[in-house]
Amino acid sequence: MKKKRGLGGKSFVGYLYLAPWLIGLFGLTAFPMVMSFYFSLCRYDMLTKPKFIGISNYLNLFSDPKLIKSLEVTVKFVFISVPLQLAFALFIALLLKRNRKGIRVYRAIFYLPSLFGGSVAVSILWKELFNKEGLFNKLIGIFGIDGINWIATPRTALNTLIVLAIWQFGASMVIFLAALKQIPEDYYEAARIDGAGKIRQFFGVTLPILTPMVFFNIVMAFINAFQSFTSAYVISGGTGAPLNSTLFYSLYLYMKAFGQFNMGYAAAMAWVLLVIIGAFTGLLFLSAKKWVFYDE
C-alpha cells in the first residue's frame, strides 16, 4: 500500500511554495473584491461602520449627471486614443522591422515612452508643455500661429490627454514588431510575383497575419484606457477641469471615495466600471470571429 503524504510530506512543501501566490490571490484580490461589493451595498464613509442600504448606490448612479459626464468623457477618450495609438504603433513597427545599422537603438528610443509614460513626472511635463507659455506654443509661434492654454480650454484639454496616450505606444509597437519578424518572406515573394505592390502586400499579407496581435493589443489598450487616471488627475489638478472636460470615470471615482469619503458609492462605481469593461471585452471577442485569422 502507498503511504499517504500528510502535511509533513512533499505536499506541504508544494503548498509552501504556493503560499505567496495564494496569499496574493485571497488577500490582495479575492477578499478586497468581496469587501468592495459589500461596501457598494452600504452607506460607508470610512469613519463609521458601514450601513447596509441595498442597491441604493447603484440606483443613484443613473441620476448623477456628473457620472454621466465622466462616462461620456471616458468613452470619447477610449474610442479616439486607442485606434490612433495602435495605428501609430503599427506604423512605427513597420519602419523598425528591417535590420539596419543602429536599429536596436531606435527601437529602444521608441519604446522608452511606455516605460514612464503614465508617471506623475511625465504628466507634469505634459502640463507645462501645453500651457500658455509652453514649448508647443513657442514652436507653432515660429509659423505665426497664436497659441492658447491648451489644458485650460474645454474644447482642447481632452485632446492633450489623447496625444499623451498615443505617445505611450511602445508596448504595442514591440508586440507588432515581434509578430512582423515572424512573417515568412516567402509570402511577400509570392505576392510580388502576382504583381502586388507595397500597399496590396500590407492589406493582403501583413494585416491578415497580424490580426491576432491586433486583437490582443486592442483588448489590452481598451482595458487600460478605461482605467486611465494619473494624467487626468495631474493635468486637471484632481478636479477634471476645465468644465469637467477631463473628468475621467476613474478620476470621478477617486473624488467620490477620497474627496467626499463616499466609499459605498465609489465601490458601486467600481463594479459598474468592471461590467462596462467586461461588456466591451465580450463584444470584442464576439467580433473577433469575423476578422481575426489564426493559422490552422
Side-chain angles (χ1 to χ4, degrees), residues 274-284:
L274 176 64
V275 171
I276 292 173
I277 293 175
F280 272 104
T281 304
L283 290 174
L284 286 172

Side-chain angles (χ1 to χ4, degrees), residues 231-242:
S231 58
Y233 178 85
V234 173
I235 291 177
S236 71
T239 63

